[in-house]
Amino acid sequence: MNAIEVKDITKSFRIYPDKGSQLKEKLLFRKRNRHEVRQVLKGISFTVEKGCSLGLIGHNGCGKSTTLKLLTKIIYPDSGEIKINGRVSSLLELGAGFHPDMTGRENIYTNASIFGLTKKETDARIRDIIDFSELGEFIDDPVRTYSSGMYMRLAFAVAINVDADILLIDEILAVGDANFQTKCFDRLRELKAEGTSMILVTHDLSSVEKFCDRAIWLNDGVICREGKAAEVVDAYYSFMNRRKAENSAPVPAVEEAPPAEETSPAPADDADEMDYSANRFGMRYIEITSVCMRDASGKDTRIFTTGDSLSIEINYKVNRPLDEYVFGFGFYTIEGACLYGNNTQLDRLKISPGTDTGTVAVDIPHLPLLAGKYALNAAIVDKDGTPMDFYRKYCSFEVVSDDRSEGYISIDHKWRTIR
Amino acid sequence: MNTLKEIFSYRQMISSLVRRDLRGRYKGSFLGFLWTFINPLLQLLVYTAVFSLILRTNIERYYLYLFVGLIPWIFFSSSLTGGAASVVAQKDLIKKIYFPRQVIPISYVTSCFINMLLSFIAVFAVMIVSGAGIYFPGLVCLPVIMAAEYLLALGAALLTSAVTVYFRDLEHILGIFSMAWMYMTPIMYDRSIVPQRLMPVFRLNPMTHVIECYRAVLYYKCMPDMKGLLSAAGLGIVFLVAGHFVFLKLQKRFAEEL
């Protein structure tokens, strides 16, 4: 049997640029009441079987929350049909209807009555609710004296104990501390095992994968993909990565690293006088004019994909020629930990540039960094290691990835069973 | 029919909202719940002062004459004006969870109704203390009269609460409208002084019948005019059905408009 059947629903909202609902405004500014119609859902159909859990994913504004609101009947669809078999409890807005002056116990009764429970039905559950909320003796204090965590625990405890046939959940992970969250998830699993159907809306893809049997990816009011949770999540994940990379505009390096004359401290004449803690320091016999990072297609960007190629080009200008320079680069975490650093000297490469300007590039065929934000260091030193021009955090860049491992570095691996 | 069944299944919510409203109404005030009695008594004092000292009516025991009409009127007018604001006032609830929206005006009117019942304790006290006495056979009719008025008040509240969501001025318009309505209802005066050409208006006014029924039972100590009682009840049902359908139609977009 299907717990939820949704057939071809559409929903538009009227957007008033300047809404007037007073008589004066209605008469005087009739033109202002012209509204735009924004179609949020453009024909969505799906079913949820009894005891099945469904995850709704998609970027902001794709219609997830609207769908949930339609299912709770807070709003009504413009067309289409929604069939729901059983009692619905929603964890959309926890604690709506709590009265601050009433005690926790009184609020349990009120809140349960909002879910359609009679007093007798609530009496039968009150023990479970209080136990679950872990409020203990505080249950007879007015709700206004509760901390926000206690408030949420009580609200969650009520919503989850009303014996709903269908639970609608919007971003539940914001409830309480880690222990309570675990408890919530355990309880949800129990309920699921008992045959409660669930719809979960969240941005936390891993909880969709862990918790849901099926998932629907909504995009711009239509179903983009529907299927097993893991498959849909993977498809959504790589779509988001692609989009992020495509949308990134090439970043002109000058913006992040302004010309030396303007903001950096004056070049030091003597190595002893150098301020090594500065963002940029060095003797400036040779100077980094700009650094550019190119992705596999040669575009100057700040977003890269794990496993693709990356080139770093260091453009320099010679002020006072020396016979040898060492070029280096380093990848750092945003917190400042070094992930990798190397230079031409370590690689036993001798670079003796001329007396003018030029570029030294380093090519990384397969970028091993995992998804995240990183900082790039670029430096030129002389052969004894005296800094000529040392740039800490020249710029930050982002890596997107289909590899969802933990940490910073993607390591090639394969699992096998031995016995 | 389904709607009625659903509203019935939410009776617990109605009763907890009513309780919350009654308990919360005078919360924090020094005299607290006593205000339920003090407020109408003070109003009575003002009107009696005006009408027996300045405007001088020749109605016997004018304070009682006024009191038995004023208490039911206060119930009706507060259902009308306060009921109009009730849905807007609960917008947080409406935007967040589902329940039959009718629950809100129903609870509001019910809490006003209970307030009226409590005020009637003051009415009976005045009747006994003043020596006017109680006419017991008439009391049998009292629940019927009250039920008719409840239907009227609920119909009005359903209508105004739903329209106010889309048209917020209504709340303020209703303030003046209910004042005018009060003067167009024979509460402070007798219908015998109403000019003949205005009589049709008074006859169409459902509250005329309601107030006169109350007065017959509690002041004149006689059975109410059956025709008046029936037309009050009939109009009450018409109000309720009309209010119900308007509410049903308008409530679909409550969450979006609030």
Side-chain angles (χ1 to χ4, degrees):
Chain A
M1 198 177 80
N2 288 329
I4 300 175
E5 277 175 49
V6 173
K7 225 194 246 158
D8 214 21
I9 48 167
T10 64
K11 180 70 194 172
S12 304
F13 288 108
R14 293 183 195 170
I15 313 286
Y16 297 91
D18 182 10
K19 190 184 171 191
S21 58
Q22 291 181 342
L23 178 63
K24 178 191 80 184
E25 290 162 345
K26 280 212 159 118
L27 293 176
L28 287 179
F29 313 113
R30 221 174 288 170
K31 276 183 196 156
R32 263 199 215 167
N33 273 313
R34 279 191 196 148
H35 53 261
E36 274 173 64
V37 174
R38 186 181 300 158
Q39 196 168 20
V40 178
L41 295 180
K42 302 166 181 162
I44 285 185
S45 312
F46 61 89
T47 55
V48 178
E49 280 168 41
K50 195 172 167 343
C52 183
S53 62
L54 173 80
L56 280 180
I57 55 176
H59 59 89
N60 287 328
C62 68
K64 303 183 299 269
S65 295
T66 305
T67 309
L68 267 203
K69 279 187 182 168
L70 284 167
L71 290 174
T72 51
K73 291 194 281 183
I74 291 172
I75 54 176
Y76 292 79
D78 297 335
S79 68
E81 208 184 335
I82 298 175
K83 250 195 238 159
I84 290 183
N85 299 313
R87 174 187 277 160
V88 178
S89 171
S90 63
L91 307 184
L92 303 185
E93 295 284 350
L94 288 169
F98 272 12
H99 194 290
D101 283 334
M102 300 207 297
T103 67
R105 192 187 297 274
E106 289 170 314
N107 269 307
I108 291 176
Y109 280 97
T110 315
N111 208 232
S113 77
I114 294 173
F115 286 114
L117 255 63
T118 62
K119 185 160 183 307
K120 221 187 272 166
E121 289 174 298
T122 313
D123 282 336
R125 291 171 179 80
I126 188 107
R127 205 57 266 156
D128 289 344
I129 295 176
I130 296 173
D131 286 348
F132 194 87
S133 71
E134 299 173 4
L135 281 168
E137 57 197 275
F138 295 114
I139 199 71
D140 290 312
D141 289 345
V143 165
R144 71 183 137 79
T145 63
Y146 286 14
S147 70
S148 57
M150 290 158 80
Y151 189 91
M152 291 311 271
R153 289 205 311 257
L154 181 63
F156 194 88
V158 179
I160 215 165
N161 278 305
V162 297
D163 282 358
D165 304 299
I166 299 157
L167 264 179
L168 305 174
I169 307 161
D170 198 352
E171 297 292 358
I172 39 165
L173 291 162
V175 184
D177 53 25
N179 280 339
F180 192 71
Q181 279 180 19
T182 317
K183 194 167 152 186
C184 292
F185 263 115
D186 288 346
R187 177 79 183 129
L188 288 177
R189 275 195 201 98
E190 260 172 57
L191 287 173
K192 200 176 130 186
E194 288 163 18
T196 310
S197 317
M198 296 181 196
I199 293 191
L200 180 75
V201 164
T202 180
H203 287 285
D204 179 20
L205 297 177
S206 65
S207 61
V208 170
E209 232 176 335
K210 268 184 266 174
F211 195 73
C212 298
D213 308 317
R214 299 176 63 74
I216 286 178
W217 162 19
L218 285 179
N219 193 15
D220 277 339
V222 290
I223 291 178
C224 207
R225 194 170 169 148
E226 183 181 358
K228 284 218 179 77
E231 286 167 17
V232 177
V233 167
D234 277 345
Y236 176 64
Y237 213 80
S238 52
F239 168 81
M240 287 304 272
N241 283 341
R242 248 180 294 131
R243 220 170 68 143
K244 215 170 181 181
E246 278 165 17
N247 288 353
S248 69
V251 195
V254 262
E255 257 181 38
E256 283 178 58
E261 304 85 67
E262 282 171 23
T263 55
S264 330
D269 289 333
D270 192 339
D272 296 336
E273 283 172 27
M274 258 183 293
D275 176 10
Y276 288 95
S277 65
N279 201 31
R280 185 182 186 184
F281 54 90
M283 311 278 277
R284 301 287 166 82
Y285 294 167
I286 180 166
E287 213 171 276
I288 297 172
T289 51
S290 67
V291 179
C292 99
M293 302 176 81
R294 294 187 191 281
D295 65 9
S297 64
K299 193 168 79 168
D300 184 1
T301 176
R302 293 283 181 265
I303 295 194
F304 304 92
T305 308
T306 305
D308 282 8
S309 73
L310 158 69
S311 304
I312 302 167
E313 295 172 4
I314 303 174
N315 300 308
Y316 62 85
K317 184 176 90 185
V318 178
N319 294 329
R320 201 197 295 182
L322 298 176
D323 58 345
E324 193 189 331
Y325 302 102
V326 179
F327 287 77
F329 76 98
F331 293 143
Y332 285 74
T333 65
I334 290 302
E335 294 80 25
C338 178
L339 296 173
Y340 183 82
N342 204 336
N343 62 37
T344 48
Q345 197 171 43
L346 292 172
D347 282 340
R348 306 229 170 85
L349 212 70
K350 203 171 161 176
I351 295 184
S352 317
T355 51
D356 200 9
T357 59
T359 303
V360 171
V362 55
D363 294 324
I364 299 160
H366 304 291
L367 181 67
L369 295 178
L370 289 170
K373 210 165 180 191
Y374 301 93
L376 174 74
N377 277 21
I380 308 175
V381 299
D382 76 1
K383 64 175 187 292
D384 304 321
T386 313
M388 291 295 123
D389 195 356
F390 202 107
Y391 248 122
R392 280 208 180 95
K393 281 199 180 173
Y394 177 85
C395 66
S396 59
F397 61 98
E398 210 170 323
V399 176
V400 296
S401 180
D402 293 342
D403 185 340
R404 293 159 63 190
S405 320
E406 301 281 325
Y408 302 105
I409 306 291
S410 173
I411 293 175
D412 212 11
H413 64 278
K414 212 174 258 161
W415 292 97
R416 62 199 167 90
T417 44
I418 291 169
R419 214 157 33 104
Chain B
M1 211 56 225
N2 265 339
T3 328
L4 290 185
K5 222 166 99 187
E6 205 184 4
I7 293 170
F8 181 72
S9 72
Y10 274 81
R11 60 195 179 281
Q12 188 65 41
M13 183 181 179
I14 296 175
S15 85
S16 43
L17 283 179
V18 169
R19 217 169 309 146
R20 205 171 88 173
D21 191 48
L22 288 175
R23 285 181 52 181
R25 188 170 293 189
Y26 299 111
K27 193 139 201 149
S29 64
F30 182 62
L31 291 172
F33 210 69
L34 278 180
W35 276 111
T36 312
F37 309 108
I38 299 168
N39 206 11
L41 282 172
L42 289 178
Q43 277 193 51
L44 178 71
L45 199 70
V46 173
Y47 285 119
T48 315
V50 171
F51 282 94
S52 41
L53 296 177
I54 303 166
L55 286 171
R56 285 211 207 130
T57 60
N58 46 11
I59 298 171
E60 201 188 334
R61 280 202 180 104
Y62 180 70
Y63 57 92
L64 189 59
Y65 181 88
L66 181 63
F67 206 22
V68 300
L70 194 60
I71 295 298
W73 173 260
I74 291 172
F75 161 54
F76 182 76
S77 78
S78 56
S79 301
L80 185 73
T81 55
S86 63
V87 168
V88 177
Q90 297 285 0
K91 67 173 162 197
D92 287 335
L93 220 47
I94 287 177
K95 281 202 291 199
K96 287 172 181 172
I97 27 190
Y98 172 79
F99 53 88
R101 285 10 180 156
Q102 289 86 343
V103 161
I104 287 174
I106 290 174
S107 344
Y108 189 84
V109 171
T110 307
S111 96
C112 290
F113 184 74
I114 289 171
N115 232 358
M116 175 178 81
L117 291 183
L118 293 170
S119 304
F120 261 97
I121 297 175
V123 174
F124 284 112
V126 169
M127 279 162 69
I128 292 163
V129 168
S130 69
I134 298 168
Y135 176 60
F136 287 99
L139 291 188
V140 182
C141 296
L142 204 54
V144 184
I145 305 168
M146 285 177 171
E149 193 189 5
Y150 181 84
L151 295 181
L152 268 172
L154 183 57
L158 282 171
L159 191 75
T160 56
S161 63
V163 175
T164 304
V165 173
Y166 298 88
F167 180 57
R168 303 281 168 95
D169 289 51
L170 189 65
E171 211 185 316
H172 308 289
I173 294 170
L174 280 174
I176 207 74
F177 181 74
S178 86
M179 190 179 82
W181 197 340
M182 176 167 84
Y183 286 106
M184 291 301 285
T185 309
I187 295 166
M188 300 172 186
Y189 50 84
D190 200 76
R191 85 193 275 177
S192 57
I193 64 165
V194 176
Q196 202 51 47
R197 61 196 161 84
L198 283 181
M199 240 8 241
V201 183
F202 278 79
R203 248 182 251 122
L204 272 176
N205 176 1
M207 283 310 286
T208 305
H209 306 294
V210 171
I211 296 293
E212 282 180 342
C213 288
Y214 276 111
R215 191 169 285 151
V217 173
L218 299 171
Y219 179 81
Y220 290 117
K221 294 188 181 179
C222 60
M223 292 310 270
D225 171 22
M226 275 303 153
K227 224 174 84 193
L229 188 58
L230 280 178
S231 53
L235 279 168
I237 289 166
V238 171
F239 256 59
L240 187 63
V241 170
H244 171 73
F245 279 109
V246 171
F247 195 95
L248 215 56
K249 183 102 181 64
L250 291 181
Q251 59 105 10
K252 294 211 163 185
R253 282 188 43 243
F254 273 3
E256 289 159 61
E257 287 289 331
L258 282 168

